[in-house]
mmCIF file of all heavy atoms in Angstrom:
data_model
loop_
_atom_site.group_PDB
_atom_site.id
_atom_site.type_symbol
_atom_site.label_atom_id
_atom_site.label_comp_id
_atom_site.label_asym_id
_atom_site.label_seq_id
_atom_site.Cartn_x
_atom_site.Cartn_y
_atom_site.Cartn_z
ATOM 1 N N ASP A 269 198.330 61.083 206.962
ATOM 2 C CA ASP A 269 199.267 59.974 206.868
ATOM 3 C C ASP A 269 200.683 60.365 207.271
ATOM 4 O O ASP A 269 201.517 59.440 207.477
ATOM 5 C CB ASP A 269 199.255 59.306 205.516
ATOM 6 C CG ASP A 269 197.989 58.531 205.279
ATOM 7 O OD1 ASP A 269 197.206 58.283 206.194
ATOM 8 O OD2 ASP A 269 197.702 58.192 204.071
ATOM 9 N N SER A 270 200.971 61.641 207.268
ATOM 10 C CA SER A 270 202.331 62.068 207.655
ATOM 11 C C SER A 270 202.604 61.933 209.194
ATOM 12 O O SER A 270 203.684 62.053 209.567
ATOM 13 C CB SER A 270 202.582 63.549 207.281
ATOM 14 O OG SER A 270 201.753 64.422 208.013
ATOM 15 N N PHE A 271 201.460 61.672 209.997
ATOM 16 C CA PHE A 271 201.638 61.367 211.380
ATOM 17 C C PHE A 271 201.624 59.894 211.553
ATOM 18 O O PHE A 271 200.572 59.222 211.299
ATOM 19 C CB PHE A 271 200.469 62.037 212.099
ATOM 20 C CG PHE A 271 200.493 63.549 212.116
ATOM 21 C CD1 PHE A 271 200.078 64.262 210.997
ATOM 22 C CD2 PHE A 271 200.998 64.226 213.228
ATOM 23 C CE1 PHE A 271 200.056 65.706 211.010
ATOM 24 C CE2 PHE A 271 201.041 65.672 213.243
ATOM 25 C CZ PHE A 271 200.567 66.356 212.069
ATOM 26 N N GLU A 272 202.663 59.316 211.952
ATOM 27 C CA GLU A 272 202.861 57.860 211.950
ATOM 28 C C GLU A 272 201.797 57.183 212.839
ATOM 29 O O GLU A 272 201.235 56.168 212.312
ATOM 30 C CB GLU A 272 204.238 57.586 212.518
ATOM 31 C CG GLU A 272 204.551 56.047 212.464
ATOM 32 C CD GLU A 272 204.589 55.597 210.942
ATOM 33 O OE1 GLU A 272 204.982 56.369 210.081
ATOM 34 O OE2 GLU A 272 204.258 54.346 210.729
ATOM 35 N N GLU A 273 201.463 57.860 213.962
ATOM 36 C CA GLU A 273 200.445 57.136 214.753
ATOM 37 C C GLU A 273 198.992 57.191 214.277
ATOM 38 O O GLU A 273 198.112 56.492 214.687
ATOM 39 C CB GLU A 273 200.490 57.760 216.157
ATOM 40 C CG GLU A 273 200.137 59.253 216.307
ATOM 41 C CD GLU A 273 201.323 60.143 216.110
ATOM 42 O OE1 GLU A 273 202.084 59.960 215.173
ATOM 43 O OE2 GLU A 273 201.442 61.058 216.936
ATOM 44 N N PHE A 274 198.760 58.069 213.286
ATOM 45 C CA PHE A 274 197.476 58.239 212.702
ATOM 46 C C PHE A 274 197.444 57.836 211.181
ATOM 47 O O PHE A 274 196.411 57.921 210.527
ATOM 48 C CB PHE A 274 197.044 59.684 212.707
ATOM 49 C CG PHE A 274 196.933 60.249 214.169
ATOM 50 C CD1 PHE A 274 197.704 61.298 214.461
ATOM 51 C CD2 PHE A 274 196.104 59.555 215.046
ATOM 52 C CE1 PHE A 274 197.675 61.794 215.746
ATOM 53 C CE2 PHE A 274 196.062 60.117 216.355
ATOM 54 C CZ PHE A 274 196.812 61.192 216.800
ATOM 55 N N LYS A 275 198.516 57.259 210.702
ATOM 56 C CA LYS A 275 198.590 56.827 209.310
ATOM 57 C C LYS A 275 197.490 55.809 208.967
ATOM 58 O O LYS A 275 197.324 54.793 209.639
ATOM 59 C CB LYS A 275 199.993 56.309 208.928
ATOM 60 C CG LYS A 275 200.216 55.945 207.449
ATOM 61 C CD LYS A 275 201.635 55.589 207.206
ATOM 62 C CE LYS A 275 201.790 55.306 205.729
ATOM 63 N NZ LYS A 275 203.258 54.941 205.439
ATOM 64 N N GLY A 276 196.735 56.088 207.916
ATOM 65 C CA GLY A 276 195.771 55.136 207.536
ATOM 66 C C GLY A 276 194.431 55.203 208.195
ATOM 67 O O GLY A 276 193.457 54.423 207.878
ATOM 68 N N ILE A 277 194.279 56.079 209.286
ATOM 69 C CA ILE A 277 192.917 56.128 209.942
ATOM 70 C C ILE A 277 191.918 56.626 208.963
ATOM 71 O O ILE A 277 192.213 57.289 207.978
ATOM 72 C CB ILE A 277 192.952 56.968 211.230
ATOM 73 C CG1 ILE A 277 193.155 58.377 210.908
ATOM 74 C CG2 ILE A 277 194.028 56.400 212.148
ATOM 75 C CD1 ILE A 277 192.926 59.325 212.182
ATOM 76 N N GLU A 278 190.711 56.338 209.251
ATOM 77 C CA GLU A 278 189.584 56.683 208.365
ATOM 78 C C GLU A 278 189.354 58.198 208.226
ATOM 79 O O GLU A 278 189.483 58.944 209.233
ATOM 80 C CB GLU A 278 188.212 56.073 208.850
ATOM 81 C CG GLU A 278 188.234 54.543 208.794
ATOM 82 C CD GLU A 278 187.075 53.909 209.488
ATOM 83 O OE1 GLU A 278 186.147 54.805 209.892
ATOM 84 O OE2 GLU A 278 186.897 52.791 209.489
ATOM 85 N N ILE A 279 189.097 58.668 207.045
ATOM 86 C CA ILE A 279 188.607 59.979 206.716
ATOM 87 C C ILE A 279 187.210 59.886 206.297
ATOM 88 O O ILE A 279 186.925 59.238 205.207
ATOM 89 C CB ILE A 279 189.536 60.739 205.792
ATOM 90 C CG1 ILE A 279 190.969 60.792 206.236
ATOM 91 C CG2 ILE A 279 189.006 62.103 205.406
ATOM 92 C CD1 ILE A 279 192.001 61.415 205.283
ATOM 93 N N HIS A 280 186.286 60.664 206.888
ATOM 94 C CA HIS A 280 184.941 60.635 206.497
ATOM 95 C C HIS A 280 184.557 62.091 206.005
ATOM 96 O O HIS A 280 184.777 63.051 206.731
ATOM 97 C CB HIS A 280 184.020 60.325 207.662
ATOM 98 C CG HIS A 280 184.086 58.856 208.098
ATOM 99 N ND1 HIS A 280 183.220 57.915 207.654
ATOM 100 C CD2 HIS A 280 184.908 58.271 209.009
ATOM 101 C CE1 HIS A 280 183.523 56.732 208.212
ATOM 102 N NE2 HIS A 280 184.597 56.852 209.009
ATOM 103 N N ILE A 281 184.039 62.189 204.798
ATOM 104 C CA ILE A 281 183.499 63.405 204.251
ATOM 105 C C ILE A 281 182.028 63.478 204.759
ATOM 106 O O ILE A 281 181.199 62.743 204.234
ATOM 107 C CB ILE A 281 183.579 63.521 202.801
ATOM 108 C CG1 ILE A 281 184.987 63.373 202.235
ATOM 109 C CG2 ILE A 281 182.984 64.759 202.233
ATOM 110 C CD1 ILE A 281 185.108 63.324 200.761
ATOM 111 N N THR A 282 181.832 64.276 205.805
ATOM 112 C CA THR A 282 180.521 64.154 206.463
ATOM 113 C C THR A 282 179.511 65.266 205.699
ATOM 114 O O THR A 282 178.375 65.302 206.185
ATOM 115 C CB THR A 282 180.611 64.512 207.942
ATOM 116 O OG1 THR A 282 181.428 65.659 208.154
ATOM 117 C CG2 THR A 282 181.239 63.337 208.653
ATOM 118 N N GLU A 283 179.991 65.964 204.742
ATOM 119 C CA GLU A 283 179.099 66.764 203.843
ATOM 120 C C GLU A 283 179.786 66.850 202.550
ATOM 121 O O GLU A 283 181.037 67.149 202.450
ATOM 122 C CB GLU A 283 178.882 68.166 204.391
ATOM 123 C CG GLU A 283 178.003 68.315 205.583
ATOM 124 C CD GLU A 283 177.776 69.813 205.912
ATOM 125 O OE1 GLU A 283 177.893 70.735 205.063
ATOM 126 O OE2 GLU A 283 177.541 70.145 207.108
ATOM 127 N N PHE A 284 179.109 66.706 201.477
ATOM 128 C CA PHE A 284 179.606 67.094 200.134
ATOM 129 C C PHE A 284 178.402 67.399 199.228
ATOM 130 O O PHE A 284 177.291 66.815 199.367
ATOM 131 C CB PHE A 284 180.507 66.026 199.543
ATOM 132 C CG PHE A 284 179.817 64.965 198.762
ATOM 133 C CD1 PHE A 284 179.748 65.042 197.288
ATOM 134 C CD2 PHE A 284 179.287 63.838 199.385
ATOM 135 C CE1 PHE A 284 179.151 64.071 196.652
ATOM 136 C CE2 PHE A 284 178.656 62.823 198.625
ATOM 137 C CZ PHE A 284 178.629 62.878 197.187
ATOM 138 N N ASN A 285 178.628 68.244 198.213
ATOM 139 C CA ASN A 285 177.703 68.507 197.223
ATOM 140 C C ASN A 285 178.422 69.426 196.216
ATOM 141 O O ASN A 285 179.631 69.531 196.338
ATOM 142 C CB ASN A 285 176.425 69.274 197.725
ATOM 143 C CG ASN A 285 175.229 69.124 196.850
ATOM 144 O OD1 ASN A 285 175.333 69.197 195.686
ATOM 145 N ND2 ASN A 285 174.070 68.981 197.505
ATOM 146 N N THR A 286 177.685 69.834 195.171
ATOM 147 C CA THR A 286 178.385 70.800 194.258
ATOM 148 C C THR A 286 178.446 72.160 195.004
ATOM 149 O O THR A 286 179.520 72.501 195.525
ATOM 150 C CB THR A 286 177.594 70.855 192.944
ATOM 151 O OG1 THR A 286 176.186 70.949 193.262
ATOM 152 C CG2 THR A 286 177.769 69.671 192.145
ATOM 153 N N SER A 287 177.376 72.894 195.094
ATOM 154 C CA SER A 287 177.400 74.107 195.807
ATOM 155 C C SER A 287 177.174 73.978 197.269
ATOM 156 O O SER A 287 176.539 73.046 197.668
ATOM 157 C CB SER A 287 176.268 75.069 195.232
ATOM 158 O OG SER A 287 176.182 76.271 196.012
ATOM 159 N N TYR A 288 177.655 74.932 198.020
ATOM 160 C CA TYR A 288 177.412 74.829 199.487
ATOM 161 C C TYR A 288 176.343 75.800 200.087
ATOM 162 O O TYR A 288 176.200 75.957 201.260
ATOM 163 C CB TYR A 288 178.775 75.283 200.196
ATOM 164 C CG TYR A 288 179.363 76.616 199.758
ATOM 165 C CD1 TYR A 288 178.883 77.860 200.216
ATOM 166 C CD2 TYR A 288 180.251 76.658 198.729
ATOM 167 C CE1 TYR A 288 179.346 79.063 199.843
ATOM 168 C CE2 TYR A 288 180.739 77.902 198.273
ATOM 169 C CZ TYR A 288 180.335 79.085 198.753
ATOM 170 O OH TYR A 288 180.773 80.280 198.418
ATOM 171 N N ILE A 289 175.465 76.232 199.117
ATOM 172 C CA ILE A 289 174.365 77.011 199.607
ATOM 173 C C ILE A 289 173.043 76.352 199.232
ATOM 174 O O ILE A 289 172.971 75.585 198.114
ATOM 175 C CB ILE A 289 174.329 78.450 198.914
ATOM 176 C CG1 ILE A 289 174.356 78.379 197.395
ATOM 177 C CG2 ILE A 289 175.544 79.243 199.437
ATOM 178 C CD1 ILE A 289 174.216 79.727 196.782
ATOM 179 N N PRO A 290 171.974 76.522 199.961
ATOM 180 C CA PRO A 290 170.761 75.699 199.820
ATOM 181 C C PRO A 290 169.745 76.377 198.884
ATOM 182 O O PRO A 290 168.592 76.036 198.914
ATOM 183 C CB PRO A 290 170.163 75.647 201.242
ATOM 184 C CG PRO A 290 170.611 76.950 201.878
ATOM 185 C CD PRO A 290 171.928 77.229 201.291
ATOM 186 N N ASN A 291 170.207 77.369 198.144
ATOM 187 C CA ASN A 291 169.314 78.021 197.146
ATOM 188 C C ASN A 291 170.080 78.159 195.729
ATOM 189 O O ASN A 291 170.004 79.222 195.134
ATOM 190 C CB ASN A 291 168.959 79.403 197.677
ATOM 191 C CG ASN A 291 170.124 80.307 197.943
ATOM 192 O OD1 ASN A 291 171.235 79.818 198.141
ATOM 193 N ND2 ASN A 291 169.939 81.565 198.078
ATOM 194 N N CYS A 292 170.823 77.146 195.373
ATOM 195 C CA CYS A 292 171.539 77.097 194.156
ATOM 196 C C CYS A 292 170.791 76.324 193.170
ATOM 197 O O CYS A 292 170.794 75.033 193.247
ATOM 198 C CB CYS A 292 172.984 76.604 194.404
ATOM 199 S SG CYS A 292 173.963 76.607 192.899
ATOM 200 N N PRO A 293 170.231 76.869 192.117
ATOM 201 C CA PRO A 293 169.411 76.112 191.073
ATOM 202 C C PRO A 293 170.192 74.927 190.490
ATOM 203 O O PRO A 293 169.551 74.032 190.036
ATOM 204 C CB PRO A 293 169.027 77.192 190.164
ATOM 205 C CG PRO A 293 168.980 78.438 190.916
ATOM 206 C CD PRO A 293 170.146 78.373 191.850
ATOM 207 N N LEU A 294 171.462 74.993 190.495
ATOM 208 C CA LEU A 294 172.240 73.867 189.949
ATOM 209 C C LEU A 294 171.898 72.496 190.588
ATOM 210 O O LEU A 294 171.838 71.514 189.883
ATOM 211 C CB LEU A 294 173.773 74.221 190.226
ATOM 212 C CG LEU A 294 174.802 73.002 189.935
ATOM 213 C CD1 LEU A 294 174.834 72.742 188.449
ATOM 214 C CD2 LEU A 294 176.184 73.357 190.438
ATOM 215 N N HIS A 295 171.539 72.536 191.886
ATOM 216 C CA HIS A 295 171.258 71.275 192.578
ATOM 217 C C HIS A 295 170.059 70.525 191.961
ATOM 218 O O HIS A 295 169.939 69.295 192.183
ATOM 219 C CB HIS A 295 170.975 71.536 194.028
ATOM 220 C CG HIS A 295 172.074 72.048 194.812
ATOM 221 N ND1 HIS A 295 171.907 73.080 195.809
ATOM 222 C CD2 HIS A 295 173.468 71.744 194.761
ATOM 223 C CE1 HIS A 295 173.163 73.240 196.374
ATOM 224 N NE2 HIS A 295 174.031 72.521 195.751
#
Side-chain angles (χ1 to χ4, degrees):
D269 288 349
S270 69
F271 293 80
E272 189 61 33
E273 64 268 51
F274 301 120
K275 186 175 183 179
I277 70 168
E278 296 174 1
I279 299 176
H280 292 266
I281 300 175
T282 50
E283 287 183 27
F284 88 97
N285 203 317
T286 46
S287 173
Y288 52 84
I289 57 173
N291 57 341
C292 183
L294 172 67
H295 294 144

